[in-house]
Amino acid sequence: MFSWVLGSCAKHLASLARLRHKTTQLNRMSTSPPPLAAICQLTATPNKEANFSICKKLVEEAKEKGASMAFLPEGFDYIGSSREETLSLSESLAGDTIAGYIKVARQLDVWLSLGGFHEQGPEWEREKRIYNSHIIINNKGDIVSVYRKSHLFDVKLPEKGISLMESDFTLPGPSLVSPVQTPIGKVGLGICYDLRFSELSLALQRSGAEILTYPSAFTVATGAAHWEVLLRARAIETQCFVLAAAQVGQHHEKRASYGHSLAVDPWGEVLADCGGESPAVVLVEVDLDKVRRTRKNMPVQQHRRETAFYHSLE
């Protein structure tokens, strides 16, 4: 009798073990892998048609590799060699350039982050000034968000050979925009020089951002000094993924960009780097569980004092 009970218990335990094994296998099969984001790096020139052709190929490559969303850098449409050329090549959101990307997004069934479009301003005919606009297009071809660059790059560093006055022809954007729900998570929008202003990234994080993106055309000198450390800092302080598509190489005789398009996780670890030599596409998994775990284990936002506290020295 005793041996029969032992045998029966053993069979029952073996049955339970098999059930647990099957359940584990089913759970693994039913758990989808994290979505893929594609960070695209290119060397834009004043030739808009050539730039579009290159960007289209980069997005096609991203889609073939399984990306749900592709990120293009600031100046993806063109980088002009003079103020006059920059203004003459600009368009409205209803122009041919954005129409072309709407078609690409729809045909490829992919979301696009168009990181810095030369958009004609509201008083274009009278003022001849533009916005630097970050446009999100969904996989149906709808423009779902437009953010206009808040902080303009007016910087003169003679010892570094840098003199750029973006405000000579560009209007500052009127406001931030809410993070956009995308297939890879909630994306908060910035552009290039915005990266240096932590107030912007924290505002986006408070509004629900899980991913921050800073499409850029960093100069070689400032890129070598500050690019990676700033991107990692923004990731660490907000506990967000940071995705930054960048321009690379010589655009024309007057301007070159640093490159090194990066993806950084919420802990500040660099997940991918496109290098500083040539156009490229890199794909990264955007595992939002990393965001949740990081924020749970180190609850920085809960420890932050009220806004008035940080102004108490004023």
Side-chain angles (χ1 to χ4, degrees):
M1 178 70 178
F2 183 67
S3 60
W4 178 84
V5 171
L6 285 176
S8 178
C9 287
K11 289 179 182 178
H12 182 63
L13 290 171
S15 179
L16 284 175
R18 286 193 297 271
L19 181 60
R20 287 196 195 97
H21 179 68
K22 287 181 180 179
T23 302
T24 301
Q25 285 184 316
L26 287 172
N27 286 337
R28 286 174 180 166
M29 292 173 62
S30 63
T31 302
S32 300
L36 294 175
I39 305 164
C40 302
Q41 180 166 285
L42 67 137
T43 309
T45 70
N47 187 327
K48 289 164 59 172
E49 290 75 18
N51 296 333
F52 178 79
S53 178
I54 293 167
C55 288
K56 185 171 182 286
K57 289 177 181 177
L58 291 172
V59 175
E60 288 172 344
E61 181 181 344
K63 178 63 179 181
E64 287 172 4
K65 292 180 177 179
S68 301
M69 187 168 186
F71 291 77
L72 292 170
E74 181 182 34
F76 68 94
D77 51 348
Y78 63 90
I79 292 183
S81 59
S82 66
R83 178 182 187 276
E84 293 71 26
E85 183 175 51
T86 297
L87 291 174
S88 70
L89 293 172
S90 66
E91 299 179 24
S92 72
L93 293 179
D96 291 342
T97 296
I98 298 304
Y101 284 98
I102 285 172
K103 185 177 180 181
V104 168
R106 188 184 297 132
Q107 287 180 339
L108 296 179
D109 188 29
V110 66
W111 283 61
L112 296 177
S113 162
L114 306 179
F117 172 69
H118 297 80
E119 179 194 2
Q120 293 175 352
E123 301 294 333
W124 170 251
E125 294 302 328
R126 183 169 61 86
E127 295 184 349
K128 296 295 188 237
R129 286 164 71 79
I130 61 176
Y131 285 124
N132 188 342
S133 300
H134 186 161
I135 302 160
I136 302 295
I137 300 176
N138 69 15
N139 61 330
K140 305 300 181 186
D142 304 315
I143 295 176
V144 297
S145 187
V146 180
Y147 163 68
R148 296 169 175 100
K149 189 177 183 181
S150 306
H151 303 94
L152 302 182
F153 190 76
D154 285 0
V155 175
K156 294 182 178 180
L157 302 171
E159 69 280 7
K160 301 291 185 183
I162 296 171
S163 179
L164 287 171
M165 297 295 292
E166 194 173 13
S167 66
D168 282 350
F169 51 87
T170 306
L171 297 163
S175 64
L176 302 181
V177 299
S178 298
V180 183
Q181 183 64 62
T182 76
I184 65 169
K186 287 187 178 179
V187 179
L189 309 182
I191 302 173
C192 200
Y193 193 51
D194 288 333
L195 173 61
R196 293 183 181 271
F197 300 88
S198 59
E199 300 91 335
L200 183 147
S201 64
L202 290 169
L204 293 171
Q205 192 274 342
R206 286 194 297 271
S207 294
E210 299 161 312
I211 302 146
L212 301 176
T213 184
Y214 295 99
S216 298
F218 253 58
T219 68
V220 173
T222 58
H226 300 151
W227 174 244
E228 180 178 321
V229 69
L230 283 170
L231 290 169
R232 294 184 68 197
R234 296 296 82 88
I236 292 165
E237 73 194 2
T238 62
Q239 300 172 317
C240 288
F241 279 91
V242 172
L243 307 178
Q247 294 281 351
V248 67
Q250 197 74 37
H251 307 291
H252 44 71
E253 62 180 12
K254 297 179 182 178
R255 188 167 174 187
S257 290
Y258 177 65
H260 290 281
S261 300
L262 289 187
V264 186
D265 78 2
W267 187 247
E269 180 183 354
V270 174
L271 302 177
D273 182 342
C274 283
E277 301 298 327
S278 59
V281 177
V282 65
L283 271 70
V284 292
E285 289 187 347
V286 182
D287 182 0
L288 295 182
D289 279 340
K290 277 190 178 182
V291 175
R292 289 185 277 271
R293 290 196 305 271
T294 304
R295 293 179 180 180
K296 179 182 177 182
N297 295 338
M298 187 179 288
V300 174
Q301 308 311 322
Q302 295 176 34
H303 299 157
R304 182 165 275 111
R305 301 289 291 271
E306 67 281 1
T307 302
F309 176 83
Y310 298 103
H311 294 280
S312 60
L313 295 178
E314 296 175 2

